[in-house]
Amino acid sequence: RVVLHAPGSAQRESARILGEIALRKNDNELAYKLLYPYVKSKLSAFRKAETDLEKTYRRAQREILSRLNDDPNSSDYRRIEKLKGDKQAQAVDEYIQKKLAQHGRVKAQLAKVRAAAACVPLALDVGILQLSRARDMKDPAARQRELTEAEKTFLAVQGVAGQSDAYKLSLGQVY
């Protein structure tokens, strides 16, 4: 057994490294004890970054649309104004998407989300460990608690991992 005494983030990173080693050696209980607290804290930061991105994105969309509407003499406004119906709506969407891709706050927040998303593969491993632990539990109430935790873990990374077959199969095992 390994006892960690390093303070703060050094301790968490050491736990992650040792947890990944334990996982490769199929020492699932040790891997879980080391990785679960690490992943839980990282997923919290990841969810916050995603929420902040959504808020930043919506705010930027409103700003971009407001600037477009506030300048009826701009070439973009005049070009879009000439269109009708679905074509006009599509042109507005394309205009907003183009501006969002260049928007400083959106780009900065997207970078934060990408950095925080580094925990997703490890979170999937922890979710699989939780499923394995639940399968081995004799007590139905404890099994259900562990399955609920596995579900929370998988749902926390759904936005990033949700399209992969491995993710779908793992989440399917919860249900």
Side-chain angles (χ1 to χ4, degrees):
R1 294 278 173 210
V2 176
V3 178
L4 301 173
H5 295 289
S9 65
Q11 181 178 3
R12 287 189 299 273
E13 287 304 313
S14 297
R16 178 192 60 79
I17 292 166
L18 293 171
E20 288 181 301
I21 291 168
L23 189 60
R24 283 194 292 271
K25 291 185 174 189
N26 292 320
D27 187 345
N28 291 346
E29 277 306 306
L30 178 59
Y32 180 79
K33 287 177 184 172
L34 292 167
L35 294 175
Y36 179 72
Y38 174 86
V39 166
K40 189 173 180 180
S41 70
K42 294 295 183 178
L43 284 177
S44 177
F46 174 64
R47 283 191 299 272
K48 181 182 181 331
E50 281 188 317
T51 300
D52 290 349
L53 176 62
E54 289 171 17
K55 290 176 185 174
T56 301
Y57 190 83
R58 283 193 303 273
R59 195 173 317 121
Q61 278 182 312
R62 287 191 302 270
E63 289 171 11
I64 292 165
L65 189 56
S66 179
R67 270 190 249 125
L68 177 65
N69 285 325
D70 289 347
D71 190 5
N73 295 321
S74 73
S75 60
D76 288 314
Y77 184 94
R78 290 192 315 268
R79 176 181 57 81
I80 292 170
E81 185 182 40
K82 292 177 187 175
L83 301 172
K84 300 295 177 214
D86 290 344
K87 289 188 183 213
Q88 187 179 59
Q90 181 180 354
V92 169
D93 287 344
E94 289 170 359
Y95 174 82
I96 291 172
Q97 292 306 314
K98 176 183 165 194
K99 293 294 184 181
L100 284 171
Q102 302 165 352
H103 197 280
R105 287 191 313 267
V106 171
K107 287 168 48 173
Q109 191 59 45
L110 188 55
K112 289 179 184 179
V113 169
R114 286 185 180 132
C119 72
V120 169
L122 200 53
L124 292 172
D125 287 340
V126 167
I128 291 167
L129 283 172
Q130 289 167 317
L131 288 174
S132 176
R133 287 168 46 90
R135 265 188 241 117
D136 294 342
M137 292 179 172
K138 305 295 183 225
D139 177 20
R143 183 182 313 110
Q144 187 55 50
R145 281 191 300 275
E146 195 67 22
L147 286 171
T148 299
E149 286 302 310
E151 179 183 31
K152 288 178 186 176
T153 301
F154 288 123
L155 291 176
V157 297
Q158 182 177 16
V160 174
Q163 299 306 313
S164 77
D165 291 337
Y167 169 81
K168 291 176 185 174
L169 180 62
S170 296
L171 185 58
Q173 291 179 49
V174 171
Y175 301 113

PDB file of all heavy atoms in Angstrom, residues 131-159:
ATOM      1  N   LEU A 131     -18.752   0.357 -12.053  1.00  0.00           N
ATOM      2  CA  LEU A 131     -19.613  -0.730 -12.527  1.00  0.00           C
ATOM      3  C   LEU A 131     -19.118  -2.076 -12.021  1.00  0.00           C
ATOM      4  O   LEU A 131     -19.908  -2.919 -11.565  1.00  0.00           O
ATOM      5  CB  LEU A 131     -19.668  -0.751 -14.055  1.00  0.00           C
ATOM      6  CG  LEU A 131     -20.439   0.359 -14.737  1.00  0.00           C
ATOM      7  CD1 LEU A 131     -20.269   0.270 -16.250  1.00  0.00           C
ATOM      8  CD2 LEU A 131     -21.912   0.280 -14.367  1.00  0.00           C
ATOM      9  N   SER A 132     -17.829  -2.278 -12.109  1.00  0.00           N
ATOM     10  CA  SER A 132     -17.227  -3.529 -11.651  1.00  0.00           C
ATOM     11  C   SER A 132     -17.449  -3.718 -10.151  1.00  0.00           C
ATOM     12  O   SER A 132     -17.803  -4.810  -9.693  1.00  0.00           O
ATOM     13  CB  SER A 132     -15.733  -3.526 -11.980  1.00  0.00           C
ATOM     14  OG  SER A 132     -15.111  -4.675 -11.469  1.00  0.00           O
ATOM     15  N   ARG A 133     -17.245  -2.656  -9.398  1.00  0.00           N
ATOM     16  CA  ARG A 133     -17.467  -2.721  -7.950  1.00  0.00           C
ATOM     17  C   ARG A 133     -18.926  -3.056  -7.652  1.00  0.00           C
ATOM     18  O   ARG A 133     -19.207  -3.889  -6.784  1.00  0.00           O
ATOM     19  CB  ARG A 133     -17.097  -1.391  -7.296  1.00  0.00           C
ATOM     20  CG  ARG A 133     -15.621  -1.119  -7.216  1.00  0.00           C
ATOM     21  CD  ARG A 133     -15.327   0.337  -6.834  1.00  0.00           C
ATOM     22  NE  ARG A 133     -16.103   0.844  -5.728  1.00  0.00           N
ATOM     23  CZ  ARG A 133     -15.751   0.779  -4.441  1.00  0.00           C
ATOM     24  NH1 ARG A 133     -14.610   0.224  -4.114  1.00  0.00           N
ATOM     25  NH2 ARG A 133     -16.528   1.287  -3.501  1.00  0.00           N
ATOM     26  N   ALA A 134     -19.843  -2.426  -8.378  1.00  0.00           N
ATOM     27  CA  ALA A 134     -21.274  -2.660  -8.147  1.00  0.00           C
ATOM     28  C   ALA A 134     -21.629  -4.124  -8.421  1.00  0.00           C
ATOM     29  O   ALA A 134     -22.386  -4.735  -7.653  1.00  0.00           O
ATOM     30  CB  ALA A 134     -22.116  -1.738  -9.023  1.00  0.00           C
ATOM     31  N   ARG A 135     -21.072  -4.666  -9.498  1.00  0.00           N
ATOM     32  CA  ARG A 135     -21.346  -6.077  -9.836  1.00  0.00           C
ATOM     33  C   ARG A 135     -20.908  -7.020  -8.725  1.00  0.00           C
ATOM     34  O   ARG A 135     -21.529  -8.061  -8.504  1.00  0.00           O
ATOM     35  CB  ARG A 135     -20.629  -6.455 -11.134  1.00  0.00           C
ATOM     36  CG  ARG A 135     -21.490  -6.331 -12.341  1.00  0.00           C
ATOM     37  CD  ARG A 135     -20.814  -6.902 -13.566  1.00  0.00           C
ATOM     38  NE  ARG A 135     -20.676  -5.803 -14.503  1.00  0.00           N
ATOM     39  CZ  ARG A 135     -19.548  -5.296 -14.954  1.00  0.00           C
ATOM     40  NH1 ARG A 135     -18.406  -5.817 -14.631  1.00  0.00           N
ATOM     41  NH2 ARG A 135     -19.546  -4.284 -15.769  1.00  0.00           N
ATOM     42  N   ASP A 136     -19.828  -6.664  -8.027  1.00  0.00           N
ATOM     43  CA  ASP A 136     -19.278  -7.534  -6.988  1.00  0.00           C
ATOM     44  C   ASP A 136     -19.952  -7.361  -5.630  1.00  0.00           C
ATOM     45  O   ASP A 136     -19.687  -8.137  -4.712  1.00  0.00           O
ATOM     46  CB  ASP A 136     -17.768  -7.281  -6.843  1.00  0.00           C
ATOM     47  CG  ASP A 136     -16.998  -7.693  -8.087  1.00  0.00           C
ATOM     48  OD1 ASP A 136     -17.539  -8.469  -8.904  1.00  0.00           O
ATOM     49  OD2 ASP A 136     -15.844  -7.222  -8.243  1.00  0.00           O
ATOM     50  N   MET A 137     -20.806  -6.376  -5.481  1.00  0.00           N
ATOM     51  CA  MET A 137     -21.439  -6.107  -4.186  1.00  0.00           C
ATOM     52  C   MET A 137     -22.623  -7.035  -3.956  1.00  0.00           C
ATOM     53  O   MET A 137     -23.460  -7.206  -4.835  1.00  0.00           O
ATOM     54  CB  MET A 137     -21.876  -4.646  -4.100  1.00  0.00           C
ATOM     55  CG  MET A 137     -20.724  -3.690  -4.059  1.00  0.00           C
ATOM     56  SD  MET A 137     -21.288  -1.975  -4.000  1.00  0.00           S
ATOM     57  CE  MET A 137     -19.738  -1.153  -3.715  1.00  0.00           C
ATOM     58  N   LYS A 138     -22.672  -7.585  -2.761  1.00  0.00           N
ATOM     59  CA  LYS A 138     -23.774  -8.497  -2.393  1.00  0.00           C
ATOM     60  C   LYS A 138     -24.991  -7.727  -1.893  1.00  0.00           C
ATOM     61  O   LYS A 138     -26.126  -8.139  -2.119  1.00  0.00           O
ATOM     62  CB  LYS A 138     -23.311  -9.477  -1.303  1.00  0.00           C
ATOM     63  CG  LYS A 138     -22.074 -10.267  -1.659  1.00  0.00           C
ATOM     64  CD  LYS A 138     -22.306 -11.188  -2.827  1.00  0.00           C
ATOM     65  CE  LYS A 138     -21.036 -11.998  -3.087  1.00  0.00           C
ATOM     66  NZ  LYS A 138     -20.693 -12.055  -4.484  1.00  0.00           N
ATOM     67  N   ASP A 139     -24.761  -6.625  -1.224  1.00  0.00           N
ATOM     68  CA  ASP A 139     -25.838  -5.830  -0.655  1.00  0.00           C
ATOM     69  C   ASP A 139     -26.527  -5.026  -1.764  1.00  0.00           C
ATOM     70  O   ASP A 139     -25.893  -4.188  -2.412  1.00  0.00           O
ATOM     71  CB  ASP A 139     -25.263  -4.880   0.405  1.00  0.00           C
ATOM     72  CG  ASP A 139     -26.305  -3.944   1.010  1.00  0.00           C
ATOM     73  OD1 ASP A 139     -27.511  -4.246   0.923  1.00  0.00           O
ATOM     74  OD2 ASP A 139     -25.899  -2.895   1.564  1.00  0.00           O
ATOM     75  N   PRO A 140     -27.831  -5.262  -2.001  1.00  0.00           N
ATOM     76  CA  PRO A 140     -28.541  -4.565  -3.080  1.00  0.00           C
ATOM     77  C   PRO A 140     -28.531  -3.038  -2.933  1.00  0.00           C
ATOM     78  O   PRO A 140     -28.404  -2.321  -3.922  1.00  0.00           O
ATOM     79  CB  PRO A 140     -29.973  -5.109  -3.005  1.00  0.00           C
ATOM     80  CG  PRO A 140     -29.876  -6.378  -2.252  1.00  0.00           C
ATOM     81  CD  PRO A 140     -28.695  -6.254  -1.340  1.00  0.00           C
ATOM     82  N   ALA A 141     -28.626  -2.543  -1.708  1.00  0.00           N
ATOM     83  CA  ALA A 141     -28.632  -1.091  -1.506  1.00  0.00           C
ATOM     84  C   ALA A 141     -27.260  -0.500  -1.844  1.00  0.00           C
ATOM     85  O   ALA A 141     -27.169   0.550  -2.491  1.00  0.00           O
ATOM     86  CB  ALA A 141     -29.026  -0.756  -0.067  1.00  0.00           C
ATOM     87  N   ALA A 142     -26.204  -1.169  -1.420  1.00  0.00           N
ATOM     88  CA  ALA A 142     -24.848  -0.699  -1.736  1.00  0.00           C
ATOM     89  C   ALA A 142     -24.602  -0.770  -3.237  1.00  0.00           C
ATOM     90  O   ALA A 142     -23.990   0.138  -3.816  1.00  0.00           O
ATOM     91  CB  ALA A 142     -23.812  -1.536  -0.988  1.00  0.00           C
ATOM     92  N   ARG A 143     -25.075  -1.829  -3.870  1.00  0.00           N
ATOM     93  CA  ARG A 143     -24.931  -1.974  -5.325  1.00  0.00           C
ATOM     94  C   ARG A 143     -25.627  -0.824  -6.040  1.00  0.00           C
ATOM     95  O   ARG A 143     -25.080  -0.210  -6.956  1.00  0.00           O
ATOM     96  CB  ARG A 143     -25.496  -3.311  -5.793  1.00  0.00           C
ATOM     97  CG  ARG A 143     -25.315  -3.544  -7.291  1.00  0.00           C
ATOM     98  CD  ARG A 143     -25.910  -4.864  -7.803  1.00  0.00           C
ATOM     99  NE  ARG A 143     -25.569  -6.006  -6.988  1.00  0.00           N
ATOM    100  CZ  ARG A 143     -26.441  -6.676  -6.210  1.00  0.00           C
ATOM    101  NH1 ARG A 143     -27.709  -6.315  -6.177  1.00  0.00           N
ATOM    102  NH2 ARG A 143     -26.047  -7.696  -5.492  1.00  0.00           N
ATOM    103  N   GLN A 144     -26.837  -0.499  -5.585  1.00  0.00           N
ATOM    104  CA  GLN A 144     -27.586   0.590  -6.215  1.00  0.00           C
ATOM    105  C   GLN A 144     -26.879   1.933  -6.033  1.00  0.00           C
ATOM    106  O   GLN A 144     -26.824   2.744  -6.957  1.00  0.00           O
ATOM    107  CB  GLN A 144     -29.014   0.661  -5.666  1.00  0.00           C
ATOM    108  CG  GLN A 144     -29.889   1.658  -6.392  1.00  0.00           C
ATOM    109  CD  GLN A 144     -29.937   1.408  -7.892  1.00  0.00           C
ATOM    110  OE1 GLN A 144     -30.185   0.297  -8.344  1.00  0.00           O
ATOM    111  NE2 GLN A 144     -29.681   2.435  -8.690  1.00  0.00           N
ATOM    112  N   ARG A 145     -26.313   2.158  -4.846  1.00  0.00           N
ATOM    113  CA  ARG A 145     -25.562   3.406  -4.608  1.00  0.00           C
ATOM    114  C   ARG A 145     -24.368   3.498  -5.555  1.00  0.00           C
ATOM    115  O   ARG A 145     -24.101   4.551  -6.129  1.00  0.00           O
ATOM    116  CB  ARG A 145     -25.097   3.496  -3.154  1.00  0.00           C
ATOM    117  CG  ARG A 145     -26.182   3.942  -2.189  1.00  0.00           C
ATOM    118  CD  ARG A 145     -25.611   4.285  -0.819  1.00  0.00           C
ATOM    119  NE  ARG A 145     -24.929   3.165  -0.182  1.00  0.00           N
ATOM    120  CZ  ARG A 145     -25.525   2.216   0.540  1.00  0.00           C
ATOM    121  NH1 ARG A 145     -26.836   2.252   0.722  1.00  0.00           N
ATOM    122  NH2 ARG A 145     -24.820   1.247   1.091  1.00  0.00           N
ATOM    123  N   GLU A 146     -23.669   2.384  -5.728  1.00  0.00           N
ATOM    124  CA  GLU A 146     -22.496   2.387  -6.598  1.00  0.00           C
ATOM    125  C   GLU A 146     -22.907   2.585  -8.059  1.00  0.00           C
ATOM    126  O   GLU A 146     -22.245   3.294  -8.817  1.00  0.00           O
ATOM    127  CB  GLU A 146     -21.695   1.088  -6.435  1.00  0.00           C
ATOM    128  CG  GLU A 146     -20.310   1.145  -7.007  1.00  0.00           C
ATOM    129  CD  GLU A 146     -19.368   2.097  -6.270  1.00  0.00           C
ATOM    130  OE1 GLU A 146     -19.598   2.419  -5.088  1.00  0.00           O
ATOM    131  OE2 GLU A 146     -18.388   2.532  -6.897  1.00  0.00           O
ATOM    132  N   LEU A 147     -24.017   1.968  -8.464  1.00  0.00           N
ATOM    133  CA  LEU A 147     -24.518   2.163  -9.828  1.00  0.00           C
ATOM    134  C   LEU A 147     -24.934   3.620 -10.051  1.00  0.00           C
ATOM    135  O   LEU A 147     -24.711   4.176 -11.126  1.00  0.00           O
ATOM    136  CB  LEU A 147     -25.688   1.220 -10.118  1.00  0.00           C
ATOM    137  CG  LEU A 147     -25.322  -0.240 -10.340  1.00  0.00           C
ATOM    138  CD1 LEU A 147     -26.582  -1.105 -10.400  1.00  0.00           C
ATOM    139  CD2 LEU A 147     -24.484  -0.415 -11.598  1.00  0.00           C
ATOM    140  N   THR A 148     -25.522   4.228  -9.039  1.00  0.00           N
ATOM    141  CA  THR A 148     -25.905   5.639  -9.131  1.00  0.00           C
ATOM    142  C   THR A 148     -24.668   6.513  -9.292  1.00  0.00           C
ATOM    143  O   THR A 148     -24.658   7.455 -10.094  1.00  0.00           O
ATOM    144  CB  THR A 148     -26.721   6.055  -7.890  1.00  0.00           C
ATOM    145  OG1 THR A 148     -27.909   5.255  -7.845  1.00  0.00           O
ATOM    146  CG2 THR A 148     -27.091   7.523  -7.931  1.00  0.00           C
ATOM    147  N   GLU A 149     -23.616   6.202  -8.545  1.00  0.00           N
ATOM    148  CA  GLU A 149     -22.364   6.955  -8.683  1.00  0.00           C
ATOM    149  C   GLU A 149     -21.758   6.753 -10.071  1.00  0.00           C
ATOM    150  O   GLU A 149     -21.242   7.695 -10.671  1.00  0.00           O
ATOM    151  CB  GLU A 149     -21.361   6.547  -7.594  1.00  0.00           C
ATOM    152  CG  GLU A 149     -21.701   7.089  -6.227  1.00  0.00           C
ATOM    153  CD  GLU A 149     -21.804   8.607  -6.197  1.00  0.00           C
ATOM    154  OE1 GLU A 149     -20.877   9.284  -6.693  1.00  0.00           O
ATOM    155  OE2 GLU A 149     -22.801   9.121  -5.677  1.00  0.00           O
ATOM    156  N   ALA A 150     -21.808   5.525 -10.582  1.00  0.00           N
ATOM    157  CA  ALA A 150     -21.297   5.256 -11.932  1.00  0.00           C
ATOM    158  C   ALA A 150     -22.081   6.064 -12.959  1.00  0.00           C
ATOM    159  O   ALA A 150     -21.502   6.660 -13.879  1.00  0.00           O
ATOM    160  CB  ALA A 150     -21.380   3.763 -12.248  1.00  0.00           C
ATOM    161  N   GLU A 151     -23.393   6.094 -12.799  1.00  0.00           N
ATOM    162  CA  GLU A 151     -24.229   6.860 -13.713  1.00  0.00           C
ATOM    163  C   GLU A 151     -23.841   8.336 -13.685  1.00  0.00           C
ATOM    164  O   GLU A 151     -23.693   8.976 -14.738  1.00  0.00           O
ATOM    165  CB  GLU A 151     -25.704   6.695 -13.342  1.00  0.00           C
ATOM    166  CG  GLU A 151     -26.639   7.479 -14.236  1.00  0.00           C
ATOM    167  CD  GLU A 151     -28.094   7.355 -13.812  1.00  0.00           C
ATOM    168  OE1 GLU A 151     -28.365   7.207 -12.605  1.00  0.00           O
ATOM    169  OE2 GLU A 151     -28.951   7.408 -14.697  1.00  0.00           O
ATOM    170  N   LYS A 152     -23.646   8.898 -12.488  1.00  0.00           N
ATOM    171  CA  LYS A 152     -23.246  10.302 -12.363  1.00  0.00           C
ATOM    172  C   LYS A 152     -21.917  10.547 -13.060  1.00  0.00           C
ATOM    173  O   LYS A 152     -21.735  11.568 -13.720  1.00  0.00           O
ATOM    174  CB  LYS A 152     -23.135  10.698 -10.893  1.00  0.00           C
ATOM    175  CG  LYS A 152     -24.460  10.829 -10.181  1.00  0.00           C
ATOM    176  CD  LYS A 152     -24.219  11.172  -8.711  1.00  0.00           C
ATOM    177  CE  LYS A 152     -25.496  11.174  -7.928  1.00  0.00           C
ATOM    178  NZ  LYS A 152     -25.247  11.408  -6.484  1.00  0.00           N
ATOM    179  N   THR A 153     -20.995   9.609 -12.894  1.00  0.00           N
ATOM    180  CA  THR A 153     -19.681   9.755 -13.524  1.00  0.00           C
ATOM    181  C   THR A 153     -19.815   9.781 -15.040  1.00  0.00           C
ATOM    182  O   THR A 153     -19.259  10.651 -15.708  1.00  0.00           O
ATOM    183  CB  THR A 153     -18.742   8.615 -13.085  1.00  0.00           C
ATOM    184  OG1 THR A 153     -18.602   8.653 -11.664  1.00  0.00           O
ATOM    185  CG2 THR A 153     -17.376   8.743 -13.745  1.00  0.00           C
ATOM    186  N   PHE A 154     -20.558   8.827 -15.587  1.00  0.00           N
ATOM    187  CA  PHE A 154     -20.716   8.769 -17.044  1.00  0.00           C
ATOM    188  C   PHE A 154     -21.480   9.978 -17.577  1.00  0.00           C
ATOM    189  O   PHE A 154     -21.106  10.550 -18.610  1.00  0.00           O
ATOM    190  CB  PHE A 154     -21.417   7.479 -17.476  1.00  0.00           C
ATOM    191  CG  PHE A 154     -20.557   6.257 -17.351  1.00  0.00           C
ATOM    192  CD1 PHE A 154     -20.960   5.176 -16.593  1.00  0.00           C
ATOM    193  CD2 PHE A 154     -19.333   6.184 -18.000  1.00  0.00           C
ATOM    194  CE1 PHE A 154     -20.169   4.046 -16.484  1.00  0.00           C
ATOM    195  CE2 PHE A 154     -18.529   5.058 -17.897  1.00  0.00           C
ATOM    196  CZ  PHE A 154     -18.951   3.987 -17.141  1.00  0.00           C
ATOM    197  N   LEU A 155     -22.518  10.393 -16.884  1.00  0.00           N
ATOM    198  CA  LEU A 155     -23.299  11.540 -17.354  1.00  0.00           C
ATOM    199  C   LEU A 155     -22.498  12.844 -17.282  1.00  0.00           C
ATOM    200  O   LEU A 155     -22.725  13.754 -18.078  1.00  0.00           O
ATOM    201  CB  LEU A 155     -24.604  11.664 -16.563  1.00  0.00           C
ATOM    202  CG  LEU A 155     -25.622  10.543 -16.835  1.00  0.00           C
ATOM    203  CD1 LEU A 155     -26.842  10.710 -15.925  1.00  0.00           C
ATOM    204  CD2 LEU A 155     -26.029  10.483 -18.292  1.00  0.00           C
ATOM    205  N   ALA A 156     -21.550  12.918 -16.355  1.00  0.00           N
ATOM    206  CA  ALA A 156     -20.733  14.124 -16.224  1.00  0.00           C
ATOM    207  C   ALA A 156     -19.870  14.369 -17.458  1.00  0.00           C
ATOM    208  O   ALA A 156     -19.511  15.504 -17.751  1.00  0.00           O
ATOM    209  CB  ALA A 156     -19.851  14.038 -14.982  1.00  0.00           C
ATOM    210  N   VAL A 157     -19.536  13.308 -18.181  1.00  0.00           N
ATOM    211  CA  VAL A 157     -18.667  13.455 -19.361  1.00  0.00           C
ATOM    212  C   VAL A 157     -19.426  13.207 -20.662  1.00  0.00           C
ATOM    213  O   VAL A 157     -18.823  13.109 -21.723  1.00  0.00           O
ATOM    214  CB  VAL A 157     -17.432  12.523 -19.277  1.00  0.00           C
ATOM    215  CG1 VAL A 157     -16.575  12.891 -18.081  1.00  0.00           C
ATOM    216  CG2 VAL A 157     -17.832  11.065 -19.234  1.00  0.00           C
ATOM    217  N   GLN A 158     -20.720  13.145 -20.576  1.00  0.00           N
ATOM    218  CA  GLN A 158     -21.546  12.829 -21.747  1.00  0.00           C
ATOM    219  C   GLN A 158     -21.313  13.777 -22.907  1.00  0.00           C
ATOM    220  O   GLN A 158     -21.253  13.357 -24.056  1.00  0.00           O
ATOM    221  CB  GLN A 158     -23.021  12.848 -21.341  1.00  0.00           C
ATOM    222  CG  GLN A 158     -23.964  12.486 -22.463  1.00  0.00           C
ATOM    223  CD  GLN A 158     -25.399  12.451 -21.988  1.00  0.00           C
ATOM    224  OE1 GLN A 158     -25.737  12.972 -20.933  1.00  0.00           O
ATOM    225  NE2 GLN A 158     -26.246  11.822 -22.759  1.00  0.00           N
ATOM    226  N   GLY A 159     -21.158  15.069 -22.633  1.00  0.00           N
ATOM    227  CA  GLY A 159     -20.972  16.037 -23.705  1.00  0.00           C
ATOM    228  C   GLY A 159     -19.730  15.786 -24.533  1.00  0.00           C
ATOM    229  O   GLY A 159     -19.709  16.041 -25.727  1.00  0.00           O
TER     230      GLY A 159
END
